Amino acid sequence: GFEVDHQEDWGLPPVFTTVPTRNKVVFLTIDDGSEKDPRFLEMMRDLKIPYTAFLSDYLVKDDYGYFRKAQAYGNTVNNHTLHHPYLPGLSYDEQRHEICDMQDIMQKQYGKRPTVFRPPYGNYNQDTLVAAKSCGIKYAPIWNEEVYVDHWEFREDDQQLRRGDIVLTHFRGRGDWDGTMVDDMRRFLNKVTREGYAVARLEDYL
């Protein structure tokens, strides 16, 4: 269910969970922006692990600088709407406001308008993709696996990582989880490296 009417005819941004590649890589993506743990930034910088952040303004506006620091370390910041709504429940104009106005904020705070956008909860309809395209979006990746501090969840029945898979986690801490983002990254990296995968930057493969 990743296609909508006229998606190819109208050149709408593709929605995908995996990027076709022969390289044994996965892509780490981190959503929302509520937890701003400096130890996480240091860990990822020291280990040279790239990731893509999808930011919602209502969660990051209290500290845009935290994500500027992540960006300075070579990671990318992308659009995840202003308020993280269920987009299919909104009108076209409301969806466009959520996406385009976040583009303006990303330009002001991070120096560029992203071409990559993730719909909140992975939910979208035709209006979402039409609105996203009108705001300059070219890609709408979702995910194939999600990692938490204490477990993984898989979209596929065989519960296996695949080459080119997009992995989701969130900027969360002890307020939401029984652990920190550093704990979450340990779980992620332990599985990925044990199975022989490298972590690549998503934007380099689009």
Side-chain angles (χ1 to χ4, degrees):
F2 299 134
E3 291 188 10
V4 301
D5 291 342
H6 307 296
Q7 187 164 359
E8 289 192 2
D9 302 342
W10 296 356
L12 299 180
V15 180
F16 50 96
T17 60
T18 299
V19 179
T21 177
R22 297 186 182 195
N23 297 340
K24 196 170 183 182
V25 297
V26 295
F27 306 104
L28 175 62
T29 63
I30 313 178
D31 282 10
D32 299 352
S34 61
E35 180 74 8
K36 302 165 186 73
D37 184 346
R39 294 172 307 150
F40 163 78
L41 289 182
E42 293 163 7
M43 174 185 185
M44 302 303 271
R45 178 198 63 197
D46 293 348
L47 295 176
K48 297 181 171 61
I49 304 295
Y51 57 92
T52 296
F54 289 94
L55 304 180
S56 292
D57 188 57
Y58 83 107
L59 291 172
V60 303
K61 64 184 179 182
D62 63 336
D63 190 0
Y64 291 123
Y66 178 87
F67 299 97
R68 275 196 288 274
K69 188 174 287 188
Q71 188 182 33
Y73 292 160
N75 303 293
T76 50
V77 290
N78 287 309
N79 189 328
H80 199 44
T81 71
L82 292 173
H83 303 104
H84 204 276
Y86 174 71
L87 289 174
L90 302 182
S91 70
Y92 172 80
D93 287 342
E94 289 168 334
Q95 293 199 51
R96 194 170 187 279
H97 163 67
E98 281 286 337
I99 301 167
C100 285
D101 285 22
M102 187 59 182
Q103 291 285 82
D104 295 341
I105 289 169
M106 298 296 286
Q107 170 80 56
K108 180 179 179 181
Q109 295 296 333
Y110 302 109
K112 59 185 283 191
R113 297 172 72 82
T115 58
V116 186
F117 159 73
R118 172 172 284 161
Y121 315 106
N123 294 130
Y124 63 96
N125 59 15
Q126 185 187 65
D127 281 350
T128 310
L129 301 184
V130 174
K133 182 181 180 180
S134 79
C135 304
I137 297 298
K138 296 181 180 177
Y139 305 97
I142 50 177
W143 60 91
N144 219 25
E145 294 87 23
E146 184 168 0
V147 61
Y148 298 83
V149 292
D150 56 354
H151 70 286
W152 282 71
E153 292 182 359
F154 298 83
R155 192 179 293 274
E156 307 290 345
D157 290 340
D158 64 5
Q159 311 268 296
Q160 298 293 318
L161 281 174
R162 292 172 170 74
R163 293 171 192 260
D165 271 0
I166 300 168
V167 179
L168 164 67
T169 193
H170 289 83
F171 288 100
R172 300 279 164 79
R174 290 197 180 277
D176 299 287
W177 287 341
D178 186 21
T180 66
M181 289 196 70
V182 170
D183 300 325
D184 185 45
M185 286 301 99
R186 280 200 197 96
R187 180 166 288 275
F188 168 75
L189 291 169
N190 284 345
K191 179 176 179 62
V192 166
T193 56
R194 186 171 63 244
E195 297 186 13
Y197 289 91
V199 183
R201 192 188 338 269
L202 176 63
E203 288 78 0
D204 293 343
Y205 281 72
L206 297 181

